[in-house]
Amino acid sequence: MTKLRQAGDYHMPIVDRGTRPGTVLRIILLAIVLTGSAVAFVVFKNQLENEIVLGILGVLAMVGIFFLVSSVIGFIEVMPQSRPDELARAFLDGHQDGTLVTDRKGRIIYANAAYGALTGATKSTDIQSLETILSRNREATEAIYRLTNGLHEGKPGHEEFRLLKPLRPSGGPAGSGAHWFRLKARVLPLEDGERNPLYIWQISDITSERDDQERFFKELQNAIDYLDHAPAGFFSAGRKGEIFYVNATLADWLGLDLTKFQPGSMTIADLVAGEGLALVQSVQAEPGLKKTKTLDLDLRKANGQSFAVRMVHRVSSTRDGAPGESRTIVLARSSDDESDQSASIAAMRFTRFFNNTPMAIASVDGDGRILRTNAPFLKLFSAVVSQDDMEHGALLEAVVHQSERSRLHEALDAAKDRQGDIAPIDSLHPTDEARHFRFYVNAVIDQSDQAPEEAAIVYAVEITEQKALETQMAQTQKMNAVGTLAGGIAHDFNNVLTAILLSSDHLLLSARPSDASFADLMEIKRNANRAAVLVRQLLAFSRKQTMRPTVLSMTDVVGDLRMLVDRMTGTNVKLEVDYGRDLWPVRTDLGQFEQVVLNLAVNARDAMPHGGVITLRTRNLPAADVAALNRRDLPEDDYVMIEVSDQGTGIPPEILDKIFEPFFTTKEVGKGTGLGLSMVYGIIKQSGGYIYPESEMGKGTTFRILLPRYVEEEQPAGAGGEAALAVPLLKAPAKPEEPADLTGNSAVVLLVEDEEAVRRGGKRMLETRGYTVHEAGSGVEALEIMEELGGAVDIVVSDVVMPEMDGPTLLREIRKTYPDLKFIFVSGYAEDAFARNLPADAKFGFLSKPFSLKQLAVAVREMLDS
């Protein structure tokens, strides 16, 4: 057991751990030396003649002699002079922490003097284990329990606990009252594996350390309270501008609830109003340094209102130049009292207005050096000149495109001469030619004392959007003008073609194939039909062609077209189709849209003379994804997108805006009319859609078609009390099969047409079919004939555009007296161009010009039989 010494000096009993390795080594060496000496003596005595044995034994003799001599002079220590156990015991005896060594069962093996002094033990019989001493304190007992369990598992640990009184019963130098203690425990493994390890416990009084910590935390809390309620605002931010701390003063100004504030939940961009963020971002420190700058700007309250402040903004930078954390003090707040017109408040308000104007402003001297700028200027041109560049005399010409710098110098020279009415300068951005700016240079007539070197004030406004709108407007006006011209020509040309077709049909009725003139008549009709195709393409471009829109699924349409497109593109061109999933329905004319796809496919084939791949791709384009296309004229709505892509030669950028114009073509003479893409453009536009080409020289072209998603609209409830769906615009859909009997059967037809050739030809053709035909040159004349006949007319065939009274007006007037009279409109324009001016319940047929005798007979017969 423990042996108690004077003054509480306790020692660990010496534990027999066996002979140490150093002692054994010395004994072995000594044995080798003695053996070598003895053998050497015998060898020399017997004078062996074997040279090898003599050599070996000679070496051993030398080693023995060396060891003996070294031992005598102390060079080699044969026996130890001190034991490490004594050094360890001396270290533990003098340790300032109370140290206790126990075995696994808690029996005390050793206790040092500090442990005796801490627990009040004066002799060995007074020493008690920690478990016994602390058994009355629940917190301490739980700590010992946790540490003991950890020691059993070979894990060290430490605990801190509080006692209401010191361990020493009398209190002693430590005084009375509550005390804090730190208890450490670790395992002391023994070299002998068969013996159980010992546990070392170290306990120390940390009351003074805890008192120091409490004083520090109190002082820190006082400092935080002072910072929170200081008369100035304060916030700190991270590298990306995320705000980690806002004091109570600034939070009160901003209207923030600190109880709900989460560090990093807001950024400086959320805090700063107007263009002040550009000022904040302009403060940048050199690598590894810090920079402080005073800024006048606006802060944004939680309710959206703003107020002016002056801030001291300090930023740091890492060694590699990356932005670091920032600390910002809001020194002043503008007064709400309108009577407070002090100079500092007035200057702050001017700075606020100066930085929040939508125009970029800079003042320059006579040499064009920038003296001062506002926040929008820094925002627009931060990629060209920084705040540091301006502080070191950056030139204004740096923000102007090189092609316009001579004009800028002329304007600055005029400003130095105090000239007025200096013409503005339109310039591209020096590094981004997609952006346009307009610069206004104004001379400074009266220099101020604060800036006597000022020569001019320069205002800059970005006009990129304006330039784009101007270009788009010019293109739209050009296309509309060409479309109006094409539509007018097509309308008049249709009347000529109708007369030619009707006359050729009349002559063909009386001609036989063997006649010499038969071939010429067929050639006339064939070329008239070719001209009619061109007219339809012009009408398609001008969006005045006849369309029969129906609700379609693009998956079905593209699937049906796949085989036809594959045959038209040839063998060296491969067609790939990428179908979108769950496509929305669209509403367009099936036949017209097929012409669109076929035309684009043929153009793609011609762009790949050596073969390649044509890709048809469909997908839905939600309204949320429209903005990503960066098309200003495209409303945010749901669309179905159809793409036709090739791997051809591409379209040069300088002609990309002209490809939809009528008669514009890059093909050789005789290989194209230049109306194909014009027709495509008109059909898509008349369907309410959009088409955009994208091309890269040498890589191919993509035409992207966007058709609006069709949504069924509920109409007011009808007679049945249930809502009806929207019906197609055209009221007389085409029949799949034409009538077998095209004769008139003495039916009476009133033919109304202002073109005499068309009227005469139509009358003659209908009479050959057995109809009784009355003709009128205008709507007024038609009403007079109806009155003369007493309404004995079976059907009216009328042109739409006529003098005095047009076709729609004639229909309304006739239906007043004869509501059931059948009516057919004939026009070179689209049906919806005039149908929208008629009542919603108006029923009529439609025949587009130019038409043949057969088409006229079929239309009349269908309407009579309907």
Side-chain angles (χ1 to χ4, degrees), residues 784-807:
E784 294 175 354
I785 294 175
M786 286 291 297
E787 186 177 356
E788 292 176 1
L789 297 176
V793 175
D794 298 307
I795 187 171
V796 177
V797 180
S798 173
D799 192 11
V800 174
V801 180
M802 295 181 296
E804 297 185 48
M805 181 182 292
D806 61 4

PDB file of all heavy atoms in Angstrom, residues 784-807:
ATOM      1  N   GLU A 784     -80.852  44.971-106.918  1.00  0.00           N
ATOM      2  CA  GLU A 784     -81.895  45.332-107.871  1.00  0.00           C
ATOM      3  C   GLU A 784     -82.397  44.115-108.645  1.00  0.00           C
ATOM      4  O   GLU A 784     -83.613  43.952-108.859  1.00  0.00           O
ATOM      5  CB  GLU A 784     -81.351  46.386-108.830  1.00  0.00           C
ATOM      6  CG  GLU A 784     -81.035  47.718-108.167  1.00  0.00           C
ATOM      7  CD  GLU A 784     -80.392  48.702-109.127  1.00  0.00           C
ATOM      8  OE1 GLU A 784     -80.094  48.284-110.279  1.00  0.00           O
ATOM      9  OE2 GLU A 784     -80.153  49.861-108.737  1.00  0.00           O
ATOM     10  N   ILE A 785     -81.469  43.238-109.042  1.00  0.00           N
ATOM     11  CA  ILE A 785     -81.870  42.035-109.769  1.00  0.00           C
ATOM     12  C   ILE A 785     -82.684  41.118-108.864  1.00  0.00           C
ATOM     13  O   ILE A 785     -83.681  40.510-109.294  1.00  0.00           O
ATOM     14  CB  ILE A 785     -80.624  41.318-110.327  1.00  0.00           C
ATOM     15  CG1 ILE A 785     -79.950  42.190-111.398  1.00  0.00           C
ATOM     16  CG2 ILE A 785     -80.995  39.952-110.902  1.00  0.00           C
ATOM     17  CD1 ILE A 785     -78.652  41.623-111.912  1.00  0.00           C
ATOM     18  N   MET A 786     -82.277  40.997-107.599  1.00  0.00           N
ATOM     19  CA  MET A 786     -83.035  40.174-106.661  1.00  0.00           C
ATOM     20  C   MET A 786     -84.461  40.702-106.534  1.00  0.00           C
ATOM     21  O   MET A 786     -85.430  39.938-106.460  1.00  0.00           O
ATOM     22  CB  MET A 786     -82.360  40.179-105.295  1.00  0.00           C
ATOM     23  CG  MET A 786     -81.095  39.348-105.225  1.00  0.00           C
ATOM     24  SD  MET A 786     -81.397  37.577-105.339  1.00  0.00           S
ATOM     25  CE  MET A 786     -82.357  37.311-103.881  1.00  0.00           C
ATOM     26  N   GLU A 787     -84.612  42.011-106.510  1.00  0.00           N
ATOM     27  CA  GLU A 787     -85.945  42.586-106.397  1.00  0.00           C
ATOM     28  C   GLU A 787     -86.755  42.332-107.664  1.00  0.00           C
ATOM     29  O   GLU A 787     -87.957  42.046-107.590  1.00  0.00           O
ATOM     30  CB  GLU A 787     -85.827  44.079-106.129  1.00  0.00           C
ATOM     31  CG  GLU A 787     -87.156  44.770-105.856  1.00  0.00           C
ATOM     32  CD  GLU A 787     -86.988  46.231-105.522  1.00  0.00           C
ATOM     33  OE1 GLU A 787     -85.822  46.687-105.421  1.00  0.00           O
ATOM     34  OE2 GLU A 787     -88.014  46.921-105.346  1.00  0.00           O
ATOM     35  N   GLU A 788     -86.117  42.434-108.833  1.00  0.00           N
ATOM     36  CA  GLU A 788     -86.827  42.172-110.091  1.00  0.00           C
ATOM     37  C   GLU A 788     -87.281  40.727-110.187  1.00  0.00           C
ATOM     38  O   GLU A 788     -88.371  40.431-110.688  1.00  0.00           O
ATOM     39  CB  GLU A 788     -85.920  42.502-111.273  1.00  0.00           C
ATOM     40  CG  GLU A 788     -85.614  43.988-111.430  1.00  0.00           C
ATOM     41  CD  GLU A 788     -84.641  44.238-112.563  1.00  0.00           C
ATOM     42  OE1 GLU A 788     -84.243  43.250-113.217  1.00  0.00           O
ATOM     43  OE2 GLU A 788     -84.260  45.407-112.776  1.00  0.00           O
ATOM     44  N   LEU A 789     -86.435  39.793-109.721  1.00  0.00           N
ATOM     45  CA  LEU A 789     -86.766  38.372-109.793  1.00  0.00           C
ATOM     46  C   LEU A 789     -87.676  37.942-108.660  1.00  0.00           C
ATOM     47  O   LEU A 789     -88.127  36.785-108.642  1.00  0.00           O
ATOM     48  CB  LEU A 789     -85.488  37.530-109.783  1.00  0.00           C
ATOM     49  CG  LEU A 789     -84.530  37.738-110.964  1.00  0.00           C
ATOM     50  CD1 LEU A 789     -83.264  36.909-110.775  1.00  0.00           C
ATOM     51  CD2 LEU A 789     -85.211  37.360-112.283  1.00  0.00           C
ATOM     52  N   GLY A 790     -87.942  38.814-107.713  1.00  0.00           N
ATOM     53  CA  GLY A 790     -88.800  38.455-106.596  1.00  0.00           C
ATOM     54  C   GLY A 790     -88.197  37.392-105.703  1.00  0.00           C
ATOM     55  O   GLY A 790     -88.913  36.614-105.060  1.00  0.00           O
ATOM     56  N   GLY A 791     -86.843  37.355-105.646  1.00  0.00           N
ATOM     57  CA  GLY A 791     -86.166  36.385-104.798  1.00  0.00           C
ATOM     58  C   GLY A 791     -86.079  35.007-105.391  1.00  0.00           C
ATOM     59  O   GLY A 791     -85.670  34.059-104.689  1.00  0.00           O
ATOM     60  N   ALA A 792     -86.433  34.848-106.679  1.00  0.00           N
ATOM     61  CA  ALA A 792     -86.398  33.522-107.320  1.00  0.00           C
ATOM     62  C   ALA A 792     -84.970  33.196-107.725  1.00  0.00           C
ATOM     63  O   ALA A 792     -84.642  33.025-108.917  1.00  0.00           O
ATOM     64  CB  ALA A 792     -87.331  33.499-108.515  1.00  0.00           C
ATOM     65  N   VAL A 793     -84.103  33.086-106.754  1.00  0.00           N
ATOM     66  CA  VAL A 793     -82.679  32.756-106.968  1.00  0.00           C
ATOM     67  C   VAL A 793     -82.321  31.638-105.991  1.00  0.00           C
ATOM     68  O   VAL A 793     -82.667  31.710-104.811  1.00  0.00           O
ATOM     69  CB  VAL A 793     -81.780  33.993-106.742  1.00  0.00           C
ATOM     70  CG1 VAL A 793     -80.312  33.605-106.840  1.00  0.00           C
ATOM     71  CG2 VAL A 793     -82.113  35.076-107.740  1.00  0.00           C
ATOM     72  N   ASP A 794     -81.651  30.615-106.501  1.00  0.00           N
ATOM     73  CA  ASP A 794     -81.259  29.482-105.638  1.00  0.00           C
ATOM     74  C   ASP A 794     -79.937  29.725-104.917  1.00  0.00           C
ATOM     75  O   ASP A 794     -79.737  29.256-103.801  1.00  0.00           O
ATOM     76  CB  ASP A 794     -81.170  28.212-106.485  1.00  0.00           C
ATOM     77  CG  ASP A 794     -82.503  27.842-107.096  1.00  0.00           C
ATOM     78  OD1 ASP A 794     -83.480  27.742-106.323  1.00  0.00           O
ATOM     79  OD2 ASP A 794     -82.577  27.672-108.330  1.00  0.00           O
ATOM     80  N   ILE A 795     -79.038  30.438-105.559  1.00  0.00           N
ATOM     81  CA  ILE A 795     -77.710  30.630-104.957  1.00  0.00           C
ATOM     82  C   ILE A 795     -77.084  31.895-105.521  1.00  0.00           C
ATOM     83  O   ILE A 795     -77.312  32.249-106.696  1.00  0.00           O
ATOM     84  CB  ILE A 795     -76.805  29.404-105.218  1.00  0.00           C
ATOM     85  CG1 ILE A 795     -75.492  29.541-104.440  1.00  0.00           C
ATOM     86  CG2 ILE A 795     -76.551  29.196-106.706  1.00  0.00           C
ATOM     87  CD1 ILE A 795     -74.638  28.277-104.475  1.00  0.00           C
ATOM     88  N   VAL A 796     -76.309  32.590-104.676  1.00  0.00           N
ATOM     89  CA  VAL A 796     -75.580  33.787-105.084  1.00  0.00           C
ATOM     90  C   VAL A 796     -74.086  33.482-105.021  1.00  0.00           C
ATOM     91  O   VAL A 796     -73.589  33.004-103.996  1.00  0.00           O
ATOM     92  CB  VAL A 796     -75.916  34.990-104.191  1.00  0.00           C
ATOM     93  CG1 VAL A 796     -75.077  36.214-104.591  1.00  0.00           C
ATOM     94  CG2 VAL A 796     -77.391  35.319-104.269  1.00  0.00           C
ATOM     95  N   VAL A 797     -73.382  33.755-106.122  1.00  0.00           N
ATOM     96  CA  VAL A 797     -71.921  33.631-106.164  1.00  0.00           C
ATOM     97  C   VAL A 797     -71.371  35.032-106.327  1.00  0.00           C
ATOM     98  O   VAL A 797     -71.604  35.671-107.366  1.00  0.00           O
ATOM     99  CB  VAL A 797     -71.466  32.719-107.310  1.00  0.00           C
ATOM    100  CG1 VAL A 797     -69.944  32.624-107.323  1.00  0.00           C
ATOM    101  CG2 VAL A 797     -72.089  31.339-107.181  1.00  0.00           C
ATOM    102  N   SER A 798     -70.674  35.542-105.312  1.00  0.00           N
ATOM    103  CA  SER A 798     -70.276  36.952-105.296  1.00  0.00           C
ATOM    104  C   SER A 798     -68.798  37.107-104.999  1.00  0.00           C
ATOM    105  O   SER A 798     -68.223  36.375-104.181  1.00  0.00           O
ATOM    106  CB  SER A 798     -71.098  37.715-104.254  1.00  0.00           C
ATOM    107  OG  SER A 798     -70.617  39.036-104.117  1.00  0.00           O
ATOM    108  N   ASP A 799     -68.201  38.109-105.662  1.00  0.00           N
ATOM    109  CA  ASP A 799     -66.846  38.539-105.329  1.00  0.00           C
ATOM    110  C   ASP A 799     -66.888  39.261-103.976  1.00  0.00           C
ATOM    111  O   ASP A 799     -67.953  39.689-103.519  1.00  0.00           O
ATOM    112  CB  ASP A 799     -66.307  39.464-106.429  1.00  0.00           C
ATOM    113  CG  ASP A 799     -64.811  39.695-106.285  1.00  0.00           C
ATOM    114  OD1 ASP A 799     -64.181  38.982-105.484  1.00  0.00           O
ATOM    115  OD2 ASP A 799     -64.280  40.587-106.967  1.00  0.00           O
ATOM    116  N   VAL A 800     -65.718  39.410-103.340  1.00  0.00           N
ATOM    117  CA  VAL A 800     -65.674  40.074-102.033  1.00  0.00           C
ATOM    118  C   VAL A 800     -65.403  41.562-102.188  1.00  0.00           C
ATOM    119  O   VAL A 800     -66.125  42.403-101.651  1.00  0.00           O
ATOM    120  CB  VAL A 800     -64.601  39.420-101.131  1.00  0.00           C
ATOM    121  CG1 VAL A 800     -64.447  40.203 -99.828  1.00  0.00           C
ATOM    122  CG2 VAL A 800     -64.964  37.977-100.830  1.00  0.00           C
ATOM    123  N   VAL A 801     -64.350  41.907-102.928  1.00  0.00           N
ATOM    124  CA  VAL A 801     -63.963  43.307-103.083  1.00  0.00           C
ATOM    125  C   VAL A 801     -64.610  43.851-104.343  1.00  0.00           C
ATOM    126  O   VAL A 801     -64.280  43.436-105.463  1.00  0.00           O
ATOM    127  CB  VAL A 801     -62.428  43.445-103.148  1.00  0.00           C
ATOM    128  CG1 VAL A 801     -62.040  44.918-103.310  1.00  0.00           C
ATOM    129  CG2 VAL A 801     -61.777  42.848-101.910  1.00  0.00           C
ATOM    130  N   MET A 802     -65.545  44.775-104.170  1.00  0.00           N
ATOM    131  CA  MET A 802     -66.257  45.391-105.297  1.00  0.00           C
ATOM    132  C   MET A 802     -66.541  46.849-104.959  1.00  0.00           C
ATOM    133  O   MET A 802     -66.635  47.218-103.781  1.00  0.00           O
ATOM    134  CB  MET A 802     -67.588  44.662-105.565  1.00  0.00           C
ATOM    135  CG  MET A 802     -67.445  43.227-106.019  1.00  0.00           C
ATOM    136  SD  MET A 802     -69.043  42.457-106.335  1.00  0.00           S
ATOM    137  CE  MET A 802     -69.784  42.481-104.701  1.00  0.00           C
ATOM    138  N   PRO A 803     -66.706  47.698-105.979  1.00  0.00           N
ATOM    139  CA  PRO A 803     -67.060  49.103-105.722  1.00  0.00           C
ATOM    140  C   PRO A 803     -68.499  49.235-105.255  1.00  0.00           C
ATOM    141  O   PRO A 803     -69.303  48.322-105.434  1.00  0.00           O
ATOM    142  CB  PRO A 803     -66.823  49.763-107.080  1.00  0.00           C
ATOM    143  CG  PRO A 803     -66.994  48.668-108.067  1.00  0.00           C
ATOM    144  CD  PRO A 803     -66.501  47.410-107.408  1.00  0.00           C
ATOM    145  N   GLU A 804     -68.802  50.332-104.647  1.00  0.00           N
ATOM    146  CA  GLU A 804     -70.136  50.688-104.162  1.00  0.00           C
ATOM    147  C   GLU A 804     -70.564  49.826-102.977  1.00  0.00           C
ATOM    148  O   GLU A 804     -70.867  50.330-101.908  1.00  0.00           O
ATOM    149  CB  GLU A 804     -71.187  50.593-105.284  1.00  0.00           C
ATOM    150  CG  GLU A 804     -70.951  51.560-106.432  1.00  0.00           C
ATOM    151  CD  GLU A 804     -72.079  51.510-107.438  1.00  0.00           C
ATOM    152  OE1 GLU A 804     -73.264  51.563-107.039  1.00  0.00           O
ATOM    153  OE2 GLU A 804     -71.766  51.421-108.640  1.00  0.00           O
ATOM    154  N   MET A 805     -70.608  48.542-103.156  1.00  0.00           N
ATOM    155  CA  MET A 805     -71.013  47.630-102.079  1.00  0.00           C
ATOM    156  C   MET A 805     -70.197  46.344-102.195  1.00  0.00           C
ATOM    157  O   MET A 805     -70.213  45.690-103.241  1.00  0.00           O
ATOM    158  CB  MET A 805     -72.512  47.315-102.166  1.00  0.00           C
ATOM    159  CG  MET A 805     -73.011  46.383-101.068  1.00  0.00           C
ATOM    160  SD  MET A 805     -74.759  45.988-101.232  1.00  0.00           S
ATOM    161  CE  MET A 805     -75.485  47.567-100.885  1.00  0.00           C
ATOM    162  N   ASP A 806     -69.478  45.998-101.115  1.00  0.00           N
ATOM    163  CA  ASP A 806     -68.663  44.783-101.179  1.00  0.00           C
ATOM    164  C   ASP A 806     -69.501  43.551-100.869  1.00  0.00           C
ATOM    165  O   ASP A 806     -70.700  43.641-100.548  1.00  0.00           O
ATOM    166  CB  ASP A 806     -67.472  44.894-100.217  1.00  0.00           C
ATOM    167  CG  ASP A 806     -67.915  45.067 -98.769  1.00  0.00           C
ATOM    168  OD1 ASP A 806     -69.128  45.031 -98.510  1.00  0.00           O
ATOM    169  OD2 ASP A 806     -67.036  45.247 -97.891  1.00  0.00           O
ATOM    170  N   GLY A 807     -68.887  42.392-100.981  1.00  0.00           N
ATOM    171  CA  GLY A 807     -69.581  41.129-100.789  1.00  0.00           C
ATOM    172  C   GLY A 807     -70.189  40.945 -99.412  1.00  0.00           C
ATOM    173  O   GLY A 807     -71.366  40.556 -99.290  1.00  0.00           O
TER     174      GLY A 807
END
